[in-house]
Amino acid sequence: MSNTLTRSDLSQAIHLEVGLSRNESSQLVEDVLEKMTDCFVKGENVKLSSFGTFSVRSKSERIGRNPKTGIEARITPRRVLSFHPSISLRQRVNK
């Protein structure tokens, strides 16, 4: 068994737990991920109760350094996705 949860694993779990067909389960996973992606593109946060919050942050331009060569390089402004787990998720993980 792999240590990575995949889209296929999610749709299989929905198929077995909820009883939707494999195609319906797969489409449900794709629809949820597409909705989340649309929110990220718009800069919106996605909060999943008892799980955590995904948020988009803007990072400004800065000077970085290549750790291998030590040469300085300009890092362009960008948006990054961050995740903050809920307290209940942190507690479950740390049990």
Side-chain angles (χ1 to χ4, degrees):
M1 182 169 179
S2 173
N3 288 334
T4 303
L5 181 68
T6 65
R7 290 176 186 217
S8 177
D9 296 335
L10 287 171
S11 63
Q12 179 68 14
I14 291 169
H15 168 69
L16 295 174
E17 293 289 325
V18 179
L20 295 176
S21 71
R22 291 184 195 275
N23 286 341
E24 290 171 329
S25 299
S26 179
Q27 188 60 51
L28 178 63
V29 170
E30 292 302 320
D31 290 347
V32 168
L33 294 176
E34 184 65 29
K35 179 64 176 170
M36 290 175 68
T37 302
D38 290 345
C39 289
F40 300 144
V41 169
K42 294 176 196 171
E44 298 173 352
N45 294 343
V46 174
K47 182 176 181 177
L48 302 173
S49 185
S50 299
F51 187 74
T53 302
F54 295 89
S55 58
V56 178
R57 296 187 307 126
S58 294
K59 289 190 152 192
S60 58
E61 183 176 297
R62 65 185 176 92
I63 300 296
R65 187 180 311 275
N66 182 327
K68 201 171 196 178
T69 63
I71 297 173
E72 288 186 350
R74 175 167 283 134
I75 299 174
T76 59
R78 64 199 185 283
R79 295 179 355 159
V80 295
L81 184 63
S82 62
F83 174 72
H84 297 281
S86 69
I87 292 170
S88 60
L89 178 61
R90 274 188 260 151
Q91 289 171 343
R92 285 188 66 189
V93 168
N94 289 321
K95 274 190 177 179

